[in-house]
């Protein structure tokens, strides 16, 4: 009995030790993950976006997704208001007051593009019990495999950006989520939304290059003329010229929640665009997996506890008259 | 003679028929779910992908099912043989809680036909707390059926098999203590990945410990709850002195739980949230007053011997643990994007009601047909 009790205590004490400091530093955590070697990403510059939604229809076309008409009256319009199981990309708008000026927080408006951020340490992957969410070890693209998914929807609950969606109206529904047009990338093509973007608001490239580009924009003087690359940073497409706006001095996604391969620039605060701010610089899976690894690494703790239990239970059920034991009753 | 016996009385009583109708209604609704999709009968959405089928049927249902776990822990691990008469009905409660919880998972899974991938080494993700829950619950359902099998084997007169099984039972019992320890705590771990999207009153790395302890408490509470209900319902004597002693034991555990729960909130500096004027604070106090009240009441020894008070305390604990789970997964949970809301649809609620009715129906069948409840004289 003593052995078993000790094991139980150990289990409890370990959790307590971990949790006492659960705020951040010192919590039971696994190592944060780092950016894959050939990480590709996207820079979405809200100030360049003109809200034309060309990327939305290109996304639907590239992924063979049906339109989602709003209401019954005008079924010719595809007008989803959020990403859904059939909509991997949506342009939203922030509006304040009379919305007189673009990219202004008060009495202004700004565009926002929502799709998977291809996290460096993705919650959806950590959550999924059957590896239906997979991160490419080279490019870091996070894609979905419907053939193993059981539809538990933990990825939906777990994603800090609210990205994966389930097709609730389909008896054989699947999860829908941007997989960075991995099928196009495999052919050396540019993801559809970046490919069609007329202003370079959605820009494809390696994460490394995109970060440099983003910081170049932040360092430039507001009002100065700037040559904005379009489509794909590694190609030589005709650029788009314009003035540098009054950027928020931050590239969203460089550090947030362990980093994301899709990054954002904006002239209104990022929380106005619906991005979570004041979040830790590690991904939450580091916390969850910290607990899991502490308790289950190599199954050491469970096996030790089981051994203790077997010993104790055997001792407590043998050497006594049969009646004490639940199977023994039949004998008496 | 066995220390257990079937309850006498006919099966087809009015409540039995009524409950059976509820079960049938639930199955009709589930038919629609399989034909037209989850969205056709539930109010689930992409902001609240988990509703009452997950939180009540699975999380709360299996916590109710921890009776077998709690009593096995007492009898076989802490060697308190005097509780042995409670073993069978406790294991039965576990058997139902878990089997039906497992069944409810199938209804809720969006791609249930691919369920088998959980067992394929090529697919499983060892980092996933969900995998741990899924595999442990599956294994524990099997363990519970084996643990309960003496009752069948006795009835079928298969003494030989029963005796052979008896030789292995120590291992099964040990597994039956380990597995719930693992998955009931992991049910708490699941919520840690919500990070800032779970209110600070509930978000903590102690979630696994708190879920484990509260599941144990609910498992203990089910024993007097069920036993006293059975004694009221079947007009049989209950095991009051034994239940009172058990109540003494779990009151201590309840004290430990409360110290950890509130200690953690204070250490994390989240106590202020408990005194804010919002839904979360109300939900928090509702949950915790239902934990604290039975603790205060059961500290007094004579209260534990009062059937009514003991029953009320057990009910309070069961509610408290249930609300804790609802708070963690629905009330205190924020979708990543604003604009979503969730309240279960009538159909969704009827399925949950149907599953719990099925549990009662099966319970009635089993205790009237199999030797499960302690012998009336022996009690
Ligand atoms: S944004 Fe969400 S879905 Fe995309 S990788 Fe990150 S966690 Fe996964
Ligand atoms: S719904 Fe599918 S992809 Fe999402 S976590 Fe569950 S099994 Fe994985
Ligand atoms: S990368 Fe492809 S799938 Fe993702 S939003 Fe752009 S077009 Fe859609």
């Amino acid at each position: 009995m003593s052995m078993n009790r000790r094991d139980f205590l150990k289990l409890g004490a370990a959790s307590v030790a971990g949790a006492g400091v659960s705020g951040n530093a010192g919590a039971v955590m696994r190592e944060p993950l780092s950016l894959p070697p050939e990480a590709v990403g996207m820079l979405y510059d809200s100030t360049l976006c003109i809200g034309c939604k060309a990327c939305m229809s290109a996304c639907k076309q590239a992924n063979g997704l049906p339109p989602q008409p709003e209401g019954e009256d005008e079924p010719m319009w595809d007008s989803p208001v959020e990403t859904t199981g059939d909509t991997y990309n949506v342009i939203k708008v922030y509006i304040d007051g009379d919305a007189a000026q673009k990219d202004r927080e008060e009495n202004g408006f700004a565009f926002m593009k929502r799709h998977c951020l291809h996290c460096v340490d993705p919650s959806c992957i950590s959550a999924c019990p059957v590896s239906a969410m997979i991160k490419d070890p080279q490019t870091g693209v996070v894609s979905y495999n419907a053939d193993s998914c059981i539809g538990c929807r933990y990825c939906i609950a777990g994603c800090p950006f609210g990205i994966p969606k389930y097709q609730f109206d389909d008896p054989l529904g699947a999860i829908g989520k941007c997989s960075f047009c991995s099928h196009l990338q495999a052919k050396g093509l540019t993801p559809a939304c970046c490919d069609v973007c007329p202003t370079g608001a959605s820009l494809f490239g390696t994460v490394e290059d995109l970060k440099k580009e983003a910081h170049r924009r932040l360092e430039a003087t507001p009002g100065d003329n700037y040559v904005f690359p379009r489509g794909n940073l590694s190609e030589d497409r005709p650029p788009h010229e314009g003035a540098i706006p009054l950027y928020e001095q931050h590239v969203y996604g460089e550090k947030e929640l362990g980093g994301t391969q899709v990054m954002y620039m904006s002239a209104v605060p990022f929380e106005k665009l619906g991005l979570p701010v004041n979040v830790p610089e590690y991904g939450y899976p580091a916390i969850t997996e910290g607990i899991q690894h502490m308790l289950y690494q190599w199954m050491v703790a469970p096996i030790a506890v089981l051994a203790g239990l077997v010993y104790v239970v055997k001792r407590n059920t043998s050497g006594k008259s049969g009646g004490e034991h639940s199977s023994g009753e039949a004998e008496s | 003679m066995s220390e257990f016996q079937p309850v006498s009385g006919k099966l087809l009583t009015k409540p039995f028929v009524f409950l059976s109708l509820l079960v049938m209604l639930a199955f009709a609704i589930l038919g629609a779910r399989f034909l037209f999709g989850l969205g056709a009968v539930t109010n689930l959405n992409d902001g609240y992908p988990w509703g009452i089928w997950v939180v009540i049927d699975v999380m709360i249902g299996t916590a109710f099912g921890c009776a077998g776990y709690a009593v096995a822990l007492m009898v076989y691990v802490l060697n308190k043989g005097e509780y042995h008469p409670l073993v069978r009905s406790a294991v039965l409660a576990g058997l139902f809680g878990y089997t039906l919880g497992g069944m409810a998972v199938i209804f809720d899974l969006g791609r249930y036909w691919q369920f088998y991938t959980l067992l394929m080494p090529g697919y499983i993700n060892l980092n996933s707390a969900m995998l741990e829950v899924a595999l442990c619950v599956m294994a524990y359902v099997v363990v519970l059926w084996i643990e309960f099998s003496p009752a069948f084997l006795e009835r079928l007169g298969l003494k030989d098999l029963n005796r052979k099984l008896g030789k292995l039972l120590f291992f099964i019992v040990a597994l039956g203590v380990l597995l719930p320890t693992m998955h009931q705590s992991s049910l708490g771990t699941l919520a840690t990945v919500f990070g800032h999207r779970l209110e600070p009153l509930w978000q903590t790395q102690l979630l696994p410990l708190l879920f484990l302890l509260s599941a144990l408490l609910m498992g203990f509470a089910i024993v007097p709850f069920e036993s006293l209900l059975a004694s009221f319902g079947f007009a049989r004597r209950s095991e009051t002195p034994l239940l009172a002693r058990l109540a003494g034991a779990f009151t201590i555990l309840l004290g430990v739980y409360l110290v950890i729960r509130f200690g953690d909130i204070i250490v994390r500096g989240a106590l202020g949230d408990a005194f804010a004027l919002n839904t979360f604070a109300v939900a928090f106090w509702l949950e915790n007053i239902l934990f604290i009240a039975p603790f205060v009441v059961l500290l007094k020894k004579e209260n534990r011997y009062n059937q009514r008070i003991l029953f009320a305390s057990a009910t309070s604990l069961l509610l408290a643990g249930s609300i804790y789970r609802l708070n963690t997964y629905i009330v205190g949970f924020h979708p990543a994007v604003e604009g979503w809301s969730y309240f279960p649809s009538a159909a969704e609620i009827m399925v949950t009601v149907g599953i719990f009715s099925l549990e009662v129906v099966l319970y009635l069948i089993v205790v009237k047909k199999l030797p499960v409840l302690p012998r009336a004289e022996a009690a």
Side-chain angles (χ1 to χ4, degrees):
Chain A
M1 164 166 318
S2 60
M3 164 171 184
N4 162 72
R5 265 191 189 152
R6 222 183 306 129
D7 278 333
F8 270 138
L9 287 180
K10 236 192 274 167
L11 196 74
S15 321
V16 176
V21 283
S22 75
N24 32 47
V28 176
M29 275 175 75
R30 71 125 159 75
E31 285 297 300
L33 303 185
S34 49
L35 207 61
E38 291 155 37
V40 291
M42 193 194 304
L43 180 64
Y44 172 75
D45 187 332
S46 165
T47 68
L48 293 178
C49 180
I50 52 172
C52 69
K53 301 187 179 183
C55 56
M56 285 175 64
S57 54
C59 177
K60 290 232 153 164
Q61 212 158 30
N63 292 287
L65 298 168
Q68 289 212 307
E70 184 187 7
E72 300 295 304
D73 335 331
E74 277 184 286
M76 65 264 267
W77 296 101
D78 176 32
S79 45
V81 289
E82 240 300 318
T83 59
T84 68
D86 292 319
T87 304
Y88 300 167
N89 165 23
V90 70
I91 295 290
K92 296 182 107 173
V93 62
Y94 158 75
I95 294 178
D96 182 79
D98 61 11
Q101 194 186 319
K102 188 172 182 294
D103 299 318
R104 188 170 67 183
E105 187 182 354
E106 277 169 42
N107 286 323
F109 69 99
F111 292 112
M112 172 60 180
K113 182 160 171 263
R114 277 180 48 72
H115 49 64
C116 176
L117 282 78
H118 300 277
C119 303
V120 175
D121 190 350
S123 299
C124 59
I125 290 189
S126 173
C128 183
V130 289
S131 314
M133 292 287 179
I134 324 147
K135 190 170 178 71
D136 187 288
Q138 295 302 313
T139 63
V141 168
V142 177
S143 47
Y144 166 68
N145 174 14
D147 291 338
S148 72
C149 171
I150 59 171
C152 69
R153 309 189 298 284
Y154 187 23
C155 54
I156 305 180
C159 170
F161 302 105
I163 296 304
K165 300 284 154 78
Y166 174 71
Q167 296 161 330
F168 283 99
D169 294 323
D170 183 345
L172 303 179
I175 299 288
K177 170 188 109 48
C178 151
S179 51
F180 219 165
C181 289
S182 46
H183 60 299
L184 298 182
Q185 287 199 48
K187 290 188 240 163
L189 298 171
T190 304
C193 56
C194 300
D195 195 40
V196 300
C197 181
T199 63
S202 291
L203 181 64
F204 177 74
T206 67
V207 171
E208 215 52 32
D209 292 348
L210 290 171
K211 279 184 183 167
K212 281 188 203 131
E213 171 64 27
H215 284 281
R216 213 174 295 136
R217 292 181 198 178
L218 289 185
E219 279 152 25
T221 316
D224 279 7
N225 194 53
Y226 189 89
V227 179
F228 294 97
R230 287 193 312 157
N232 189 332
L233 257 188
S234 66
E235 289 170 8
D236 225 4
R237 301 194 184 193
H240 159 83
E241 278 187 45
I244 287 284
L246 270 172
Y247 281 120
E248 290 282 309
Q249 288 297 309
H250 180 68
V251 181
Y252 189 98
E254 268 191 313
K255 300 231 169 66
E256 280 81 4
L257 295 170
T260 55
Q261 291 179 218
V262 171
M263 293 163 290
Y264 291 89
M265 301 185 74
S266 162
V268 303
F270 292 101
E271 66 262 37
K272 303 288 179 198
L273 301 182
L275 287 167
V277 295
N278 299 324
V279 288
E281 292 190 357
Y282 54 81
Y284 294 127
I287 292 284
T288 307
E289 290 181 21
I291 298 171
Q292 286 298 97
H293 293 175
M294 175 188 72
L295 298 175
Y296 299 114
Q297 192 95 68
W298 314 121
M299 294 301 282
V300 172
I303 290 170
V305 174
L306 181 63
L309 285 171
V310 164
Y311 170 78
V312 172
V313 172
K314 188 150 171 69
R315 212 194 53 191
N316 290 344
T317 50
S318 61
K320 291 209 181 88
S321 61
E324 202 49 51
H325 186 249
S326 105
S327 69
E329 300 127 19
E331 302 165 26
S332 53
Chain B
M1 277 288 251
S2 167
E3 62 181 307
F4 304 102
Q5 69 173 166
V7 177
S8 55
K10 67 180 175 86
L11 198 52
L12 280 178
T13 57
K14 271 196 195 120
F16 184 89
V17 173
F18 176 68
L19 291 172
S20 306
L21 288 175
L22 289 178
V23 175
M24 282 187 244
L25 177 62
F27 277 99
I29 295 169
L30 287 171
R33 174 259 172 273
F34 284 112
L35 282 177
F36 307 113
L38 275 170
V41 296
T42 70
N43 280 346
L44 292 173
N45 55 58
D46 284 314
Y48 291 90
W50 288 348
I52 58 170
W53 289 2
V54 170
V55 182
I56 299 187
D57 304 7
V58 183
M59 295 192 178
I60 296 173
T62 61
F64 279 22
C66 279
Y69 168 42
V71 173
L73 194 67
M74 279 306 247
V75 173
Y76 298 113
V77 179
L78 302 180
N79 206 17
K80 305 274 185 244
E82 67 264 34
Y83 296 112
H84 196 259
L86 304 175
V87 163
R88 274 210 186 156
S89 48
V91 170
L92 182 68
L95 188 65
F96 288 157
Y98 272 90
T99 309
L100 295 179
M103 223 168 80
V105 169
I106 299 286
F107 308 148
D108 188 79
L109 283 183
R111 297 175 73 75
Y112 52 88
W113 63 93
Q114 288 181 164
F115 190 71
Y116 62 90
T117 54
L118 281 169
L119 298 168
M120 294 174 65
Y123 284 130
I124 58 173
N125 170 14
L126 293 175
N127 288 327
S128 167
M130 181 63 90
L131 178 80
E132 206 271 316
V133 170
L135 293 183
C136 271
V137 168
M138 280 193 252
Y140 188 51
V141 170
V142 175
V143 163
L144 279 166
W145 280 92
I146 300 177
E147 274 189 307
F148 190 68
S149 61
F152 289 108
L153 299 177
E154 236 171 75
R155 164 91 192 197
L156 297 172
L158 294 172
K159 284 197 176 167
D160 241 22
L161 191 58
N162 200 4
R163 202 166 309 144
K164 275 192 200 123
L165 196 65
K167 297 232 164 69
L168 276 178
L169 213 64
F170 72 93
F171 185 72
I172 294 293
V173 168
L175 265 182
V177 173
L178 174 71
L179 293 172
T181 310
M182 287 169 69
H183 63 245
Q184 285 298 337
S185 57
S186 290
L187 282 171
T189 310
L190 289 180
T192 57
V193 87
F194 299 161
H196 66 273
R197 289 181 302 121
L198 179 57
E199 282 290 312
L201 287 170
W202 292 280
Q203 183 57 283
T204 162
Q205 261 200 320
L206 277 191
L207 270 165
L209 183 63
L210 291 169
F211 262 62
L212 176 65
L213 292 180
S214 58
L216 258 177
L217 285 168
M218 291 165 82
F220 277 124
I222 271 286
V223 177
F225 179 82
E226 184 234 83
S227 170
L228 291 171
L229 259 191
S231 74
F232 304 148
F234 301 135
R236 57 200 297 287
R237 279 180 52 213
S238 84
E239 308 82 11
T240 308
L242 201 52
L243 296 177
R245 238 176 308 148
L246 187 73
F250 71 66
T251 305
I252 299 172
L253 186 67
L254 180 52
V256 171
Y257 173 83
L258 286 170
V259 168
I260 298 177
R261 179 80 168 100
F262 280 88
D264 168 62
I265 289 180
I266 293 165
V267 169
R268 287 186 297 110
L271 194 61
D273 288 40
F275 298 100
L277 288 174
N278 58 26
T279 342
F280 305 117
V282 173
F284 173 81
W285 285 113
L286 187 64
E287 164 199 325
N288 283 290
I289 286 171
L290 288 168
F291 273 120
I292 295 168
F295 177 70
V296 173
V297 169
L298 292 179
L299 273 181
K300 257 203 174 151
K301 194 171 177 191
E302 60 263 36
N303 283 343
R304 290 177 231 148
Y305 284 85
N306 179 320
Q307 288 198 355
R308 264 166 213 289
I309 295 181
L310 183 54
F311 184 74
S313 303
T315 311
S316 174
L317 254 184
L318 290 171
L319 277 174
S322 303
I323 295 174
Y324 179 43
R325 282 156 177 73
L326 285 166
N327 283 347
T328 305
Y329 283 96
I330 297 178
V331 179
F333 172 80
H334 295 278
V337 185
E338 280 171 37
W340 298 102
S341 62
Y342 169 77
F343 191 84
S345 70
E348 224 172 325
I349 294 172
M350 288 321 292
V351 168
T352 295
V353 168
I355 287 184
F356 277 83
S357 305
L358 182 58
E359 210 165 320
V360 178
V361 165
L362 292 175
Y363 176 84
L364 289 174
I365 297 177
V366 171
V367 297
K368 287 183 179 179
K369 297 291 170 202
L370 294 177
V372 172
L373 294 189
R375 283 200 100 71
E377 314 82 86

